[in-house]
Amino acid sequence: MPCYRFDGLVPVVDPTAFVHPTASLIGDVIIGPRCYIGPGAALRGDFGRLVVENGANVQDNCVMHSFPGADCVVEQDGHVGHGAVLHGCRVGRNALVGMNAVVMDGAVIGAESLVAAMSFVKAGMVVPARTLVAGSPARVMRDLTEKEIAWKSHGTAEYQELARRCHETLAEVEPLREMEKDRPRFAGGHVTLDKAR
């Protein structure tokens, strides 16, 4: 992975975390255990500190950054969807930020909350725990159900397992010229030899 020291600060990555080789880590970045950092993610700790806590994921093409002296944090089991931008904010424990959402400086996403895809969370907004926010600008829509929180937790567990699987099986290769006969498929997150119906 591209990993850069900046003004004497070197990123820290727990050995159980997986950072994709195309993700970039710069300066004051701390990645905790069992985290997954996806392809093309840019975590630029050249002004403020960026922290991704135990079991959290920051997916493909996400951006994390902050103003000088301010932290940007994804707390334990946080889940940041493809293409999201986090700037100087805090994503609470077991919360989800949807695809292509933007969360601005000083915003706090409460524990077990969900920011809908494409939402814009304004600077300084405090999202209550266990709520759904959506829109541009985002506003609280309703409380989340236990079923929705369980769905989110299951998705995050899949990314924790993905980090482990990437350590064990991800390898750069040349593509095949044609599809092999009886090509296996992924089922439940793992390769199976069962054919598609």
Side-chain angles (χ1 to χ4, degrees), residues 13-93:
V13 178
D14 185 277
T16 62
F18 176 79
V19 179
H20 192 274
T22 63
S24 296
L25 307 181
I26 301 167
D28 197 3
V29 176
I30 301 167
I31 309 296
R34 302 181 314 126
C35 291
Y36 175 88
I37 309 297
L43 283 70
R44 187 160 63 88
D46 51 8
F47 290 152
R49 175 170 291 174
L50 312 180
V51 180
V52 182
E53 294 183 354
N54 185 2
N57 66 78
V58 176
Q59 298 174 20
D60 320 44
N61 300 315
C62 289
V63 174
M64 286 183 71
H65 193 241
S66 197
F67 284 136
D71 293 352
C72 187
V73 178
V74 180
E75 293 183 10
Q76 180 172 338
D77 296 331
H79 191 105
V80 182
H82 315 293
V85 176
L86 305 180
H87 202 278
C89 60
R90 177 172 287 269
V91 176
R93 180 188 50 77

Side-chain angles (χ1 to χ4, degrees), residues 33 79-80 82 88 91 99 109 144 154 161 174 179 182:
H79 191 105
V80 182
H82 315 293
V91 176
M99 292 182 255
I109 308 303
L144 291 175
H154 175 75
E161 174 66 6
E174 290 293 321
M179 189 171 88
D182 295 328

Side-chain angles (χ1 to χ4, degrees), residues 130-152:
R130 301 171 69 95
T131 59
L132 168 67
V133 297
S136 184
R139 60 187 179 88
V140 176
M141 307 302 282
R142 61 177 173 79
D143 291 339
L144 291 175
T145 66
E146 291 296 333
K147 184 176 181 180
E148 289 167 324
I149 293 169
W151 167 84
K152 184 269 161 209

Side-chain angles (χ1 to χ4, degrees), residues 150-169:
W151 167 84
K152 184 269 161 209
S153 296
H154 175 75
T156 300
E158 289 288 336
Y159 270 90
Q160 293 164 353
E161 174 66 6
L162 180 60
R164 186 195 64 75
R165 289 172 55 215
C166 285
H167 276 298
E168 291 181 1
T169 70

Side-chain angles (χ1 to χ4, degrees), residues 1-6 9-11 23-28:
M1 86 197 88
C3 190
Y4 303 94
R5 180 179 60 235
F6 184 78
L9 288 173
V10 176
S24 296
L25 307 181
I26 301 167
D28 197 3

